[in-house]
Amino acid sequence: VLHPRVHWDMCRVGIGLYGLRPALETRRKVRLTPVMSVRGRITRVEHPEVGTGGSYGLTYRVPKPNIQICTVPIGYADGLSRSLSGNMDVLVNGERCRQVGRICMDQFMFAVSVNNIRAYRPTRAVEYGDVVTILGRDGNEVLTADDMAAKRNTINYEVVCDFGLRLEKIYDS
């Protein structure tokens, strides 16, 4: 991408197959569109009391009334790094929601306010079976591999490669 003398020669495309850039310097040289999303469905919705702890070590405590805690069956065994615990958002119905507690082997949780508490979105209740986006676009919001990589102090390629064999693959043309 950065060396015109090798254009139209045999080159290894690498991360470009995912629609991701190999380096920030390439952003103005080539236009790529990310092709990978990671999504799950809510498998449990709870309305815990204020002060109730969630996940291993009870690192999250419900701060206010009317908070929903939702569970999604994707965890670190599926490639969602534990280092993102409490430091990532997910998308539900086109709105950002904060992941809470520790990411577990097979699941993670996120919080939703049903009374417009600023730190939590969406402002309406979500339901069992709703789709949750971990990586990709939902409405006008997007969660990128680059953003996730920056939070993990790694590269976008490691992020997409980590999502592995246990996740169902759906190929859309």
Side-chain angles (χ1 to χ4, degrees), residues 135-166:
L135 184 68
R137 179 174 296 281
D138 183 358
N140 293 324
E141 292 284 343
V142 65
L143 301 170
T144 70
D146 290 316
D147 293 338
M148 194 176 281
K151 290 178 181 182
R152 291 178 50 189
N153 194 30
T154 189
I155 59 174
N156 57 15
Y157 214 160
E158 182 177 2
V159 169
V160 296
C161 286
D162 280 353
F163 289 107
L165 299 174
R166 290 177 19 136

Side-chain angles (χ1 to χ4, degrees), residues 2 35 74 79 112 126 169-172:
L2 295 176
V35 297
I74 296 175
V112 175
V126 297
K169 311 300 185 287
I170 300 171
Y171 300 93
D172 190 11

Side-chain angles (χ1 to χ4, degrees), residues 17-18 21 37 43 46 52 62 64 77 79 93 98 103-104 117-118 120 135 137 139-140 142 147 153 159 161 163:
L17 289 173
Y18 286 92
R21 291 176 185 81
S37 297
T43 55
E46 293 291 330
T52 301
V62 175
K64 306 242 183 203
N93 301 317
R98 194 69 171 158
I103 293 170
C104 306
I117 298 170
R118 286 186 322 187
Y120 299 94
L135 184 68
R137 179 174 296 281
N140 293 324
V142 65
D147 293 338
N153 194 30
V159 169
C161 286
F163 289 107

Side-chain angles (χ1 to χ4, degrees), residues 7-64:
H7 287 189
W8 308 109
D9 204 341
M10 288 183 25
C11 294
R12 189 172 74 75
V13 178
I15 193 68
L17 289 173
Y18 286 92
L20 302 176
R21 291 176 185 81
L24 289 176
E25 298 81 17
T26 64
R27 75 176 165 254
R28 293 202 171 129
K29 300 285 185 179
V30 65
R31 199 164 105 199
L32 298 172
T33 302
V35 297
M36 180 177 166
S37 297
V38 178
R39 293 189 172 90
R41 290 194 180 271
I42 296 171
T43 55
R44 185 176 179 123
V45 177
E46 293 291 330
H47 296 85
E49 294 181 18
V50 172
T52 301
S55 195
Y56 294 129
L58 304 178
T59 58
Y60 172 79
R61 299 254 178 208
V62 175
K64 306 242 183 203

Side-chain angles (χ1 to χ4, degrees), residues 68-132:
Q68 287 182 308
I69 301 296
C70 304
T71 303
V72 179
I74 296 175
Y76 63 79
D78 303 298
L80 185 60
S81 176
R82 284 187 79 234
S83 68
L84 294 169
S85 294
N87 190 28
M88 66 175 268
D89 291 336
V90 297
L91 303 176
V92 181
N93 301 317
E95 294 190 79
R96 286 181 181 263
C97 301
R98 194 69 171 158
Q99 184 275 323
V100 297
R102 290 202 172 112
I103 293 170
C104 306
M105 185 171 97
D106 296 312
Q107 61 191 350
F108 73 90
M109 286 142 283
F110 68 93
V112 175
S113 169
V114 294
N115 279 349
N116 199 16
I117 298 170
R118 286 186 322 187
Y120 299 94
R121 300 261 185 237
T123 54
R124 68 167 188 79
V126 297
E127 299 176 0
Y128 172 90
D130 282 355
V131 173
V132 177

